[in-house]
Structures are given as structure tokens and as C-alpha cells.
Amino acid sequence: MEIDKYIESGVIESYLLGSASDKEIEELMHLKERFPQVALAMEEIEADISHITMNLGVPPPPSTFNKIEDRVNELIQTPFSPYPDGRSKDHRSNTNSRENYIEVEGNSSHMRVHKIWRWLFLIVFLLGKIFLAFAIYFYLESRQYEQRVQELKQELLRMEQK
């Protein structure tokens, strides 16, 4: 196995991004110990990824932190009860504490799409159906014309034979 090809294969990147399989991780750690080129490449790629995330990232809107902070403050002020009937933790039969969890539930299970995109999707869908109908129509017409041409050729051959 050539180390340069292994380094260029993308295994190091997938490891650093957290998408490598257990087998790939084990192989990478083994090669890292044996070959200093792998360890050096790993450090360089990690520095590149760090540079990209720190310098080229898009910062969130300024009001985002304030919204998060307000929501956290609301959660802190509201007493949390993991039970729907409002029992306190003294009345629990289960010893597992759920006080550190926050219930997350969305208002809707539907995806929201901007109104313009709805119309564009509808237009594309309808145009697709119209083009499909035309394609079927012209396909059937061409088959009919091909059959007619074959019939005329056979008739012409019969006329020439007479």
C-alpha cells in the first residue's frame, strides 16, 4: 500500500469529519503510529479544516444569541416536571433523573415552503405532465406511421411482383 495514495484517498478527511467507519478508524490509527507522513497529513488536514471553519464560516444573525438566551431564561424560570400529571420527583418510582432533559416538540410536522416555490413546483409538475402526454401521443403517432409505412412497402412489393 502506498502511503501517498492512502493519504489522498480521503480517509483522513472522513475521520476528521466523523464519518469514517470503525474499520477505517482502526486502520488509520495503526498507520498513524507506523508512518509519520500519515500523522503529519492528519495534522495539516485538521489545521485546514479548522481554518475553514474559523475564517470562512457564516456568522449567525446578531439577534440569534438573544433569542437563545431568552428561551433558556424562560426554561430556567419554568419548573420542569417530566411527568404530564405534574408529580414532583419525590413521588417518582423510577430513580432515573430526567431533570436535565428538555422536551423538544415542533408545532407542525409539515415543511414550510415559500409561496413562490409552491407555484414554481406546481408549474414544473404540470409542465411535466403536459410533456409526458405529448411524448405518449407522438410516440403512438410514430408507431402508427411506421405501421402504415410497412403496409405501404408490402403493398408496393406486391404490386412490383405482379
Side-chain angles (χ1 to χ4, degrees):
M1 171 190 303
E2 292 184 29
I3 294 301
D4 292 333
K5 285 185 180 178
Y6 181 79
I7 291 171
E8 293 174 5
S9 70
V11 174
I12 297 173
E13 288 88 347
S14 65
Y15 168 73
L16 291 174
L17 294 173
S19 62
S21 67
D22 292 337
K23 182 181 176 187
E24 290 173 337
I25 293 171
E26 184 179 320
E27 182 182 15
L28 178 64
M29 292 301 130
H30 177 69
L31 291 175
K32 181 182 172 186
E33 292 173 4
R34 286 184 56 206
F35 298 102
Q37 301 103 319
V38 174
L40 181 63
M42 207 167 164
E43 290 174 10
E44 289 175 358
I45 293 170
E46 189 172 9
D48 289 343
I49 291 174
S50 177
H51 172 74
I52 288 170
T53 56
M54 296 304 275
N55 297 329
L56 301 177
V58 178
S63 63
T64 304
F65 180 74
N66 293 335
K67 289 179 183 177
I68 293 171
E69 187 178 30
D70 291 343
R71 183 67 180 132
V72 168
N73 289 336
E74 287 176 14
L75 290 173
I76 291 172
Q77 293 172 359
T78 306
F80 177 74
S81 174
Y83 300 100
D85 62 357
R87 291 183 287 166
S88 68
K89 77 177 192 178
D90 298 334
H91 300 295
R92 285 190 269 178
S93 60
N94 189 357
T95 58
N96 293 336
S97 175
R98 295 189 61 187
E99 292 179 4
N100 295 332
Y101 296 103
I102 299 172
E103 294 280 335
V104 178
E105 187 173 321
N107 294 338
S108 174
S109 63
H110 298 286
M111 183 173 66
R112 299 180 76 158
V113 179
H114 198 272
K115 289 182 181 180
I116 293 173
W117 285 106
R118 289 180 189 167
W119 287 107
L120 288 175
F121 287 139
L122 180 65
I123 290 169
V124 167
F125 178 77
L126 291 176
L127 284 174
K129 295 299 179 186
I130 291 170
F131 288 140
L132 178 64
F134 276 120
I136 292 171
Y137 172 77
F138 286 119
Y139 172 75
L140 293 174
E141 285 291 318
S142 70
R143 276 188 42 198
Q144 186 179 9
Y145 284 127
E146 285 177 11
Q147 288 175 353
R148 181 68 181 141
V149 166
Q150 291 296 327
E151 290 173 3
L152 289 173
K153 282 183 183 178
Q154 289 176 357
E155 188 177 322
L156 184 64
L157 283 175
R158 275 189 259 141
M159 292 176 81
E160 287 178 359
Q161 290 176 355
K162 288 185 181 181

